[in-house]
Amino acid sequence: MNRNKNYKVLFSNLYKDVQMHENAKMSEYTNFRVGGPVNILLTPNTKEQIIETIKICKENNIPFYILGNGSNVLVKDSGISGVVIKLSEFNNIVRNGNIIKAESGALLKDVSDEALKASLTGFEFACGIPGSVGGAVFMNAGAYDGEISFIIKEAEVMDEKGNVITLSKDKLELGYRTSIIMKKNYVVISATFSLKYGEKDKIEGRVSELTHRRENKQPLEFPSAGSTFKRPEGYFAGKLIQDAGLKGFTLGGAAVSDKHSGFIINKGNATAKDILDLIEHVQKEVKKQFGVDLYPEVRIIGED
């Protein structure tokens, strides 16, 4: 029995056929629109499915990867050996007063919309981040002077032993693009946010302002994973890249955006190797010219 069929048998009692995708092309599930296939992609829609899926993977020594909206991921051209657990169907959002609880696959935009409807302020910064709640908590996502650590109350996670535990904000160790979840390879199940009541018109105005700024300053017309590099202490990655003369620089089908040098884009026919080669070239040039190390913010997974 080949590997894909074996995986399908292992998960057949847990998933309907429509929730299992053999040889799924990761280019169709990630915002960069590159990447080879995975043996099987699963789309759970309950907490129990997620827990049992991970348990089966661990018991059978199957490598697995958690995927939200695929907005901050670069999958290599030879694809992924193992299982991808895509959480986009695990996306319920519940509000109780000024508290919003969202499952890990919920889109940040949808949580932002829920907050706006209830005249709750604090989530506006995330209105344009194209990611999911799980990924945002995993990396303490932020934009426009806001970040997850400012509003999160607690997160429900699955630890490496398969235990589902709730971590309060102070136990999450949230820092710049990091968390205990990232450090210990936990899986986010859900997150609870504590917001404040505000004036709906002002909240709506802030959301409109940030949406307009994003549309004007970011290359949304091209596939990308958002900001490619973390912000080096004391600098801005985009300015360093621009000052290094790399704005618009192209390798294969990948390019440093003409609109925002902090973004590497897929001009339409890029391979993952093109993007990785360009990341490496940018790192070398910035290091050579300014002595500053750039580290990718995008998560790179898969086989060479």
Side-chain angles (χ1 to χ4, degrees):
M1 186 182 293
N2 69 34
R3 185 182 296 176
N4 290 11
K5 296 299 182 187
N6 186 38
Y7 288 169
K8 202 162 186 182
V9 169
L10 280 171
F11 297 107
S12 60
N13 290 332
L14 197 58
Y15 289 90
K16 298 174 183 177
D17 284 346
V18 294
Q19 293 178 290
M20 296 190 287
H21 309 272
E22 290 183 72
N23 292 316
K25 295 178 181 177
M26 294 310 297
S27 58
E28 297 177 3
Y29 294 93
T30 57
N31 286 15
F32 246 139
R33 295 291 178 256
V34 299
V38 63
N39 294 112
I40 192 163
L41 181 141
L42 305 171
T43 55
N45 53 28
T46 68
K47 178 166 76 171
E48 291 70 28
Q49 270 188 321
I50 296 167
I51 293 168
E52 189 61 26
T53 300
I54 294 172
K55 182 180 176 183
I56 291 171
C57 287
K58 289 187 174 183
E59 286 176 349
N60 292 275
N61 295 313
I62 301 169
F64 67 92
Y65 300 85
I66 304 296
L67 191 70
N69 196 40
S71 60
N72 196 48
V73 176
L74 173 59
V75 178
K76 294 181 179 180
D77 292 315
S78 291
I80 297 170
S81 176
V83 173
V84 165
I85 305 167
K86 183 165 170 55
L87 301 181
S88 53
E89 300 302 313
F90 182 65
N91 57 18
N92 285 333
I93 301 167
V94 177
R95 183 184 64 83
N96 184 11
N98 68 318
I99 304 296
I100 293 180
K101 182 175 181 178
E103 292 175 339
S104 56
L107 295 178
L108 294 173
K109 183 184 184 305
D110 292 341
V111 181
S112 178
D113 288 345
E114 181 66 27
L116 173 60
K117 281 192 295 184
S119 300
L120 293 172
T121 185
F123 217 93
E124 294 93 323
F125 76 92
C127 66
I129 299 175
S132 62
V133 165
V137 175
F138 178 83
M139 66 177 293
N140 189 25
Y144 301 116
D145 299 320
E147 61 181 49
I148 291 296
S149 70
F150 296 170
I151 54 172
I152 194 165
K153 183 173 184 279
E154 61 189 25
E156 186 182 21
V157 305
M158 184 176 179
D159 68 17
E160 289 176 304
K161 294 180 180 178
N163 302 311
V164 176
I165 56 177
T166 298
L167 297 177
S168 58
K169 176 180 176 176
D170 61 332
K171 297 287 180 61
L172 287 168
E173 296 181 14
L174 297 165
Y176 176 66
R177 302 299 178 263
T178 188
S179 69
I180 194 171
I181 298 163
M182 183 184 290
K183 294 170 189 170
K184 295 200 172 184
N185 207 28
Y186 292 169
V187 175
V188 178
I189 303 295
S190 66
T192 302
F193 304 100
S194 180
L195 306 175
K196 295 180 180 178
Y197 285 102
E199 296 178 37
K200 190 167 187 176
D201 288 348
K202 288 185 178 179
I203 298 167
E204 199 164 23
R206 180 63 172 162
V207 167
S208 296
E209 176 200 345
L210 295 182
T211 300
H212 182 70
R213 283 171 65 179
R214 183 170 178 267
E215 290 172 348
N216 280 347
K217 294 185 177 181
Q218 298 181 14
L220 304 181
E221 65 273 25
F222 291 102
S224 80
S227 297
T228 307
F229 300 98
K230 295 178 182 178
R231 184 180 68 241
E233 191 172 351
Y235 299 90
F236 291 100
K239 187 170 190 315
L240 286 170
I241 296 165
Q242 182 173 321
D243 290 348
L246 294 171
K247 190 171 190 176
F249 185 87
T250 300
L251 272 179
V256 175
S257 169
D258 281 317
K259 200 170 186 179
H260 190 313
S261 297
F263 285 63
I264 286 178
I265 59 172
N266 176 358
K267 296 186 79 171
N269 61 341
T271 62
K273 187 177 186 306
D274 291 339
I275 296 166
L276 288 167
D277 287 347
L278 184 52
I279 287 173
E280 184 179 355
H281 179 75
V282 168
Q283 288 173 314
K284 285 180 177 177
E285 282 299 310
V286 169
K287 179 69 171 177
K288 183 172 73 175
Q289 295 189 39
F290 305 110
V292 178
D293 290 308
L294 292 181
Y295 297 98
E297 185 170 307
V298 61
R299 185 174 165 222
I300 300 164
I301 60 175
E303 315 290 329
D304 286 313

